[in-house]
Amino acid sequence: KGYRISIYFNSGQEANKEADVTRAKFISKYEDVKSYKMFEYPFYKVYVGDFRTKSEALKFLKRIEYDFPNAFIREDMISFPD
C-alpha cells in the first residue's frame, strides 16, 4: 500500500479524451513520474506517482498544484520501482 495523486476524475462523453489530454500534459512536464489512466464505471481517472508515504505524496502535490489545482492524494496499491 502507498499513495498516488489523482489529477483527473470525470465521466461523460468527453471524459476519455480529457483524461488522455490531462495525462499527456502531465507526462510532458514530469516525464520521470509514472502516470496511470483508469476506467472505473462511469469515471475516467488519471493517477500519478507511486509514493510510499503520505509526506512524499504531499511534497509532490505541492510541485504540481499550479498545473493541476484540483489534484488530491489518495491511498492506493502502488508499484515499487525496480
Side-chain angles (χ1 to χ4, degrees), residues 9-74:
F9 181 98
N10 208 352
S11 64
Q13 289 184 326
E14 297 296 313
N16 187 20
K17 194 185 318 178
E18 290 170 2
D20 288 337
V21 168
T22 302
R23 187 169 180 226
K25 177 183 170 186
F26 178 84
I27 291 169
S28 73
K29 289 192 167 208
Y30 307 97
E31 59 191 44
D32 56 325
V33 179
K34 283 193 175 179
S35 62
Y36 307 89
K37 178 181 152 188
M38 299 183 183
F39 178 72
E40 294 172 13
Y41 183 82
F43 296 101
Y44 285 92
K45 305 173 182 184
V46 179
Y47 300 130
V48 299
D50 289 306
F51 305 102
R52 295 177 193 209
T53 66
K54 197 167 189 176
S55 63
E56 284 178 34
L58 192 57
K59 191 188 300 186
F60 190 71
L61 179 62
K62 292 288 181 203
R63 261 180 71 191
I64 68 169
E65 67 185 355
Y66 178 79
D67 294 317
F68 303 96
N70 296 323
F72 61 92
I73 297 170
R74 65 181 300 273

